[in-house]
Amino acid sequence: MMTTQSDFNRVLPPRPDLGIGVGLRSNHYGAILSQRPAIPWFEVISENFMTLRNTDPARHTSGGPSAEPCGGRNLGAGGRPREILDLIRKDYPIMLHGVSLNIGSTDPLRLDYLKKLKVLAEETQPLWVSDHLCWTGVEGENLHDLLPIPYTEEALAHVVERVKQVQDILGRRILLENVSSYVSYKHSEMSEWEFIAELARRADCGVLLDINNVYVSAVNHGFNPETFLEGIPIDRVRQMHLAGYMEEENGFLIDTHDHPVTATVWDLYRKAVRRFGAVPALIEWDDHIPPFDVLAQEARKAEEIRSDVLGIPLPSQATRLAGTQTQERLGDMDFRQIHSGMAPVSGSAR
């Protein structure tokens, strides 16, 4: 039976505490497969695998960052990247993160794209599927950027309906991420955080809170990043992102994802943990990608901040290993219920 939007209109299920994950990048396939590093989960760029169908028919269930090229080859019928993904997800939970949903555009939703995304989600069973609250093109042209939308009531109503359609097609809630921005619209009628909060309420979707993007936009537009955090409903935040930025000579910040997380973003993350609690967070690094150990060290810093703020013990090397240890952290939660938003829970949304 197909899940429809009305099925989502209830309190969000509890958040499993996965800890700190990192982005899965081809540079690190060898290290991950050979070392099974003590990272509890990985985030996967959806577009890198949406046409890389698993070649085993028995496993088919139905017919900022950028997508990485797969060695210049056309692997639409399967191939090594998808094989590696299947190997990795045997031991690690994954999240799917897209860059092409184009949810804020006036173009019609791309049904072909959504069908491919649904197949990938059904085959890989991610905890969450996410994309960006932005537009990436218009009139069929892909501008290859994550562009901000005007924060107006008209735009809000438009995006709400599109999110509902996407969730109906995918049969699951999605998360939308706040993007870094460098321009604003004089016609905006509300703040970004007010827009996101109301979008999450009306569309009944979740929020992927990118802490680096909050800080970058705050500096570029002159608002207090803590005000942003305070304006986001606690129960809607299901994942966070942490990354590095570049500062230009004039003080303008550019979200580059090619640096370590800065001290200012670590400080804001500490405040976010204090407000939102134990939310799974990700270390993003999409350009000038360092050895895997560098990402693992960044993840460890995030774990230390969580531990200090929440008063919980740091995961030991053993308990952070993949496979059964990670699954123990998830408990007996039924992921199909999380995907559909129909987990039996009590309490009220904030």
Side-chain angles (χ1 to χ4, degrees), residues 96-124:
L96 290 181
H97 187 54
V99 296
S100 305
L101 184 58
N102 202 18
I103 197 69
S105 177
T106 56
D107 280 2
L109 290 169
R110 292 170 48 202
L111 296 183
D112 59 335
Y113 173 90
L114 291 172
K115 288 177 182 178
K116 290 177 182 178
L117 179 58
K118 182 174 183 176
V119 169
L120 179 64
E122 289 175 344
E123 291 180 344
T124 59

Side-chain angles (χ1 to χ4, degrees), residues 270-286:
R270 178 178 293 274
K271 294 168 182 175
V273 172
R274 191 172 296 123
R275 173 168 171 76
F276 298 103
V279 176
L282 177 88
I283 302 298
E284 283 193 295
W285 206 312
D286 297 307

Side-chain angles (χ1 to χ4, degrees), residues 64 78 136 184 208 217 225 231 286 307 309 319 337 339 347:
T136 58
S184 59
L208 194 171
S217 294
D286 297 307
S307 175
V309 172
T319 59
Q337 291 178 327
H339 296 156

Side-chain angles (χ1 to χ4, degrees), residues 20-176:
I20 309 300
V22 302
L24 180 63
R25 300 294 180 263
S26 57
N27 310 52
H28 300 141
Y29 287 168
I32 295 167
L33 291 174
S34 63
Q35 301 170 19
R36 293 183 71 246
I39 295 292
W41 60 278
F42 287 96
E43 184 183 81
V44 174
I45 300 299
S46 305
E47 288 80 0
N48 288 341
F49 299 94
M50 281 172 57
T51 58
L52 305 185
R53 297 297 303 280
N54 188 324
T55 54
D56 179 1
R59 300 186 63 176
H60 289 186
T61 58
S62 67
S66 59
E68 299 176 281
C70 298
R73 295 177 294 157
N74 180 2
L75 298 174
R80 184 62 173 164
R82 181 55 194 270
E83 180 183 349
I84 290 172
L85 176 60
D86 287 338
L87 288 171
I88 289 173
R89 73 183 189 85
K90 287 180 181 179
D91 291 329
Y92 299 88
I94 66 166
M95 313 270 197
L96 290 181
H97 187 54
V99 296
S100 305
L101 184 58
N102 202 18
I103 197 69
S105 177
T106 56
D107 280 2
L109 290 169
R110 292 170 48 202
L111 296 183
D112 59 335
Y113 173 90
L114 291 172
K115 288 177 182 178
K116 290 177 182 178
L117 179 58
K118 182 174 183 176
V119 169
L120 179 64
E122 289 175 344
E123 291 180 344
T124 59
Q125 288 299 297
L127 179 55
W128 288 107
V129 174
S130 65
D131 209 294
H132 300 80
L133 178 56
C134 68
W135 60 286
T136 58
V138 68
E139 296 184 355
E141 293 293 329
N142 189 337
L143 301 178
H144 301 287
D145 207 344
L146 306 175
L147 302 167
I149 60 180
Y151 302 125
T152 64
E153 181 59 41
E154 180 183 17
L156 178 59
H158 174 70
V159 176
V160 165
E161 290 308 309
R162 287 165 70 88
V163 172
K164 289 180 178 180
Q165 291 178 52
V166 169
Q167 293 185 148
D168 279 351
I169 292 170
L170 298 181
R172 63 179 67 210
R173 277 194 180 98
I174 63 170
L175 309 182
L176 287 175

Side-chain angles (χ1 to χ4, degrees), residues 212 243-245 257-263 266 285 294 298 301:
N212 180 66
Y245 59 76
H257 291 192
D258 63 356
H259 288 70
V261 179
T262 64
W266 283 129
W285 206 312
V294 176
E298 292 284 278
K301 290 179 185 178

